[in-house]
Amino acid sequence: MDYLTSTVPSASFEVVPLDFTQMNEQLINGQVQFVVTNPGHYFNMSGDFPISWLATMKSNQHGGNTFAIGATIIVRQDSDLYTLEDLAGHSVVASDPNALGGYQAAMGLINSMEYSTDDFFTKVSFLGFPLEPLIYQVRDHNADIAITPFCTFEQMVEQGYINAADFRVINDITPDGYDCAVSTHLYPNWSFASSDTVPLTVRTNITRALFSISESDPISVIGQNSGWAAPISQFEVIKLFKALDLHSRKEPLYLQLWQWIKINQQWGFGLIGLFIMATIYHLWLEYRFIRKSENLLAAERQLKAKALQLERLQSAAILGEIGAGLAHELNQPIAAITQYSEGGMLEQAKHYGEDSVQYQLLGKILRQSNRAGEIVHRIRSLLQRKDTQSTDFDVCEQINLCLELLTHEFLSQKIVVESRLNSSELLLKGDKVGFCQVVINVLKNAIDALAETNPLQHGLKKILIELRVVNGHLQLKIYDNGIGLTCSNEDFKTTFFSTKENGLGLGLAICNDVIMKFGGQISLAKCENDPSAPWQTGCRVLIDIPFNIPQESYLSDPKYI
């Protein structure tokens, strides 16, 4: 390199030691402009890189011959391997898979014998440079075979690293006039190649400078060669690579792609830009598609919700029309029942007195007809969107009236009812009829649930009613040991939702509205989820209504305990 720097005008040269892969990468990136390599590697690069072969090195041995690359197959002297056929199924070490003289030439020899090069050896290890460890591995019994570059064995013997008598060369076909044993065909020596980015005048001056070096020139002595000759034909190398099909796997794909882009920069970077833009556009379209899909699904859900609301409004309108008609029609028979019962009571009192059984019976009929009239009046007010009349009423009294009204059903279903009303007088302001309607509806649901149970499995049918004031809230709990809840708490409050075969789904929905007008709430739960439940099966209904009572009343009046 010093010689070329002093000989070639306006040029400076520096040696950069590289392996084959590094050489390719730096040649692509323009970090190196010249390479000195074996013809096999040059052939690999020439198909992908714009390089020119300037000269072939003449060997400092073998009479300066330019065919000085081959492979020597070496085993231990005490090995039982003598022929190429004996090598099959053994371990081998070599320098590099892309080294023409270090590995590829030996693979060409094995391929020529119609053996498969992929599984001929049981294990192949590539140790790289330096080359001495290849033979050391065989010496130390770490490998059975070493494939070394031509003359490596003789150089190590000459330098005293190994004893020649300890090793043996397999398939020795050394040509006449050559100084080293070789196992394969010989191929052209190392070449000096230039990138096409180097000006033609510089390449021409370099070629002239190389050809002018004589065999005895100090430059040749230092470089351990006999000068340089014109490039030698690569015909034998091409034949070898075709046989091994190495041309299709000579470089990694990413290097081939990058090299093509470097050569065709205008098209290469244009394609990369187009690919990036297409990818971004695709991601943008996918994002838009996802957003549109989400909006479409949201709109579909809203339409379904609106359709359900419309259906419920239509049902409510129909129900309103039916209710208005029923309320109007029921008013007359209820008024007649009231008048007849009042007239009957007057006659009974006049002739038999107020203690007669008939008088008491007519009194009960009068009370129920008055209650029925209040219910009809309340329904009419609801349909006309009038506020219901708020009155002060005794909660315990109304609960007892509800129980009395359902006595017949309790007896017919053999239901044991227990009430724990911890207050004898507890006044609440609000819709008295609506409150009774809620209690009766809850008790009716409990009766229906108990009717579906198996007495043999659940024992006695029971209903427990608890009433107490807790932290300023009236809490009415109604327990039953029936079949329990089959849906969520909120589902039962939905209009037109029912688990009964012939149910309309209006009872608890109306009850919920009534209790909300008191400022309270109604909730359902399984008994097993209520720690204070008297049993683990069935359902618990909790009616919780705020009850404003002076603080001192809790301590002085037992009805609030």
Side-chain angles (χ1 to χ4, degrees), residues 127-183:
L127 307 183
F129 296 92
L131 301 173
E132 288 81 3
L134 297 176
I135 298 181
Y136 293 156
Q137 291 290 310
V138 174
R139 180 196 64 186
D140 298 338
H141 298 270
N142 294 326
D144 301 324
I145 309 156
I147 300 177
T148 65
F150 185 42
C151 290
T152 301
F153 176 70
E154 286 76 12
Q155 291 172 3
M156 292 182 64
V157 171
E158 181 180 351
Q159 294 169 0
Y161 293 151
I162 58 174
N163 185 0
D166 296 337
F167 302 92
R168 179 167 18 93
V169 175
I170 301 297
N171 194 48
D172 188 350
I173 54 171
T174 306
D176 294 338
Y178 278 77
D179 305 326
C180 303
V182 66
S183 304

Side-chain angles (χ1 to χ4, degrees), residues 6 22 31 86 111 177 194 217 223 230 234 307 311 332 359 367 432 452 514 521-522 527-528:
S6 62
Q22 293 171 340
Q31 295 173 268
D86 296 339
N111 183 75
S194 168
D217 194 299
Q234 302 181 51
E311 181 181 351
Q332 296 178 3
Y359 183 89
R367 285 195 297 273
K432 177 179 68 174
E452 298 183 28
V514 170
Q521 59 182 359
I522 183 171
C527 289
E528 61 186 29

Side-chain angles (χ1 to χ4, degrees), residues 138-379:
V138 174
R139 180 196 64 186
D140 298 338
H141 298 270
N142 294 326
D144 301 324
I145 309 156
I147 300 177
T148 65
F150 185 42
C151 290
T152 301
F153 176 70
E154 286 76 12
Q155 291 172 3
M156 292 182 64
V157 171
E158 181 180 351
Q159 294 169 0
Y161 293 151
I162 58 174
N163 185 0
D166 296 337
F167 302 92
R168 179 167 18 93
V169 175
I170 301 297
N171 194 48
D172 188 350
I173 54 171
T174 306
D176 294 338
Y178 278 77
D179 305 326
C180 303
V182 66
S183 304
T184 66
H185 296 296
L186 291 172
Y187 299 93
N189 207 352
W190 284 47
S191 61
F192 194 109
S194 168
S195 169
D196 282 357
T197 59
V198 179
L200 178 61
T201 55
V202 177
R203 283 182 281 163
T204 303
N205 292 332
I206 291 174
T207 304
R208 289 173 179 171
L210 291 175
F211 287 170
S212 64
I213 300 174
S214 65
E215 181 179 348
S216 59
D217 194 299
I219 303 300
S220 299
V221 176
I222 294 173
Q224 297 182 5
N225 57 60
S226 298
W228 295 80
I232 305 300
S233 170
Q234 302 181 51
F235 181 71
E236 292 298 328
V237 178
I238 294 173
K239 283 177 55 179
L240 172 65
F241 283 4
K242 283 186 176 181
L244 296 178
D245 194 26
L246 293 176
H247 62 280
S248 62
R249 43 194 167 117
K250 52 187 174 296
E251 295 294 344
L253 181 60
Y254 75 95
L255 283 178
Q256 297 182 38
L257 179 61
W258 180 244
Q259 174 268 334
W260 184 88
I261 292 174
K262 292 287 287 184
I263 296 173
N264 306 276
Q265 293 187 14
Q266 181 178 0
W267 291 101
F269 289 108
L271 288 175
I272 290 178
L274 182 62
F275 174 77
I276 293 174
M277 291 178 61
T279 302
I280 295 174
Y281 182 67
H282 170 75
L283 293 176
W284 180 78
L285 287 179
E286 187 173 356
Y287 169 76
R288 295 279 297 177
F289 176 77
I290 292 174
R291 289 293 303 274
K292 291 291 185 183
S293 299
E294 290 176 351
N295 293 337
L296 184 62
L297 290 174
E300 185 179 358
R301 286 193 292 267
Q302 290 178 359
L303 286 175
K304 289 183 178 179
K306 294 293 184 183
L308 182 59
Q309 291 178 5
L310 179 60
E311 181 181 351
R312 289 179 176 176
L313 288 174
Q314 291 174 344
S315 302
I318 295 172
L319 184 64
E321 295 178 3
I322 297 174
L326 285 175
H328 177 73
E329 295 296 332
L330 289 175
N331 241 351
Q332 296 178 3
I334 290 175
I337 294 172
T338 303
Q339 293 176 1
Y340 289 146
S341 59
E342 287 178 345
M345 290 176 67
L346 290 174
E347 289 296 322
Q348 286 293 322
K350 183 186 299 183
H351 298 288
Y352 302 103
E354 295 182 358
D355 296 330
S356 66
V357 176
Q358 288 82 1
Y359 183 89
Q360 298 295 328
L361 181 60
L362 289 171
K364 291 182 178 179
I365 294 174
L366 178 61
R367 285 195 297 273
Q368 292 304 321
S369 66
N370 288 332
R371 179 175 173 274
E374 291 175 352
I375 292 175
V376 170
H377 177 72
R378 183 176 178 276
I379 292 175

Side-chain angles (χ1 to χ4, degrees), residues 366-551:
L366 178 61
R367 285 195 297 273
Q368 292 304 321
S369 66
N370 288 332
R371 179 175 173 274
E374 291 175 352
I375 292 175
V376 170
H377 177 72
R378 183 176 178 276
I379 292 175
R380 288 174 63 92
S381 299
L382 179 64
L383 294 174
Q384 295 173 359
R385 300 189 178 276
K386 293 182 179 179
D387 293 336
T388 55
Q389 185 178 1
S390 294
T391 58
D392 293 329
F393 62 92
D394 188 342
V395 175
C396 297
E397 180 183 351
Q398 296 302 316
I399 294 174
N400 287 325
L401 287 175
C402 294
L403 293 174
E404 182 180 351
L405 184 62
L406 296 172
T407 301
H408 176 72
E409 295 196 45
F410 292 145
L411 293 174
S412 63
Q413 293 290 337
K414 298 180 181 180
I415 299 173
V416 178
V417 180
E418 179 184 358
S419 60
R420 299 175 184 174
L421 308 180
N422 294 337
S423 297
S424 58
E425 183 181 352
L426 190 61
L427 299 180
L428 187 65
K429 186 177 182 63
D431 182 7
K432 177 179 68 174
V433 177
F435 181 82
C436 290
Q437 184 180 354
V438 171
V439 174
I440 290 175
N441 188 280
V442 172
L443 290 172
K444 282 286 292 180
N445 287 339
I447 293 170
D448 293 340
L450 289 168
E452 298 183 28
T453 58
N454 187 347
L456 297 178
Q457 295 179 351
H458 295 269
L460 290 175
K461 300 177 182 180
K462 298 179 182 179
I463 293 178
L464 172 63
I465 303 172
E466 287 186 350
L467 176 66
R468 62 178 62 246
V469 177
V470 180
N471 297 328
H473 282 249
L474 183 148
Q475 291 188 351
L476 175 62
K477 294 182 180 181
I478 300 177
Y479 298 94
D480 68 76
N481 62 345
I483 59 174
L485 288 177
T486 56
C487 294
S488 67
N489 178 32
E490 296 302 321
D491 285 341
F492 281 107
K493 299 178 185 179
T494 305
T495 308
F496 303 113
F497 176 86
S498 177
T499 58
K500 300 177 183 178
E501 183 177 355
N502 299 318
L504 294 177
L506 297 173
L508 286 177
I510 295 175
C511 292
N512 186 57
D513 292 338
V514 170
I515 298 301
M516 287 179 66
K517 289 182 179 180
F518 279 93
Q521 59 182 359
I522 183 171
S523 63
L524 290 77
K526 294 180 179 180
C527 289
E528 61 186 29
N529 297 328
D530 186 351
S532 61
W535 45 71
Q536 293 298 305
T537 59
C539 175
R540 181 225 67 194
V541 178
L542 170 63
I543 299 173
D544 187 295
I545 300 176
F547 193 66
N548 295 323
I549 305 173
Q551 183 67 31

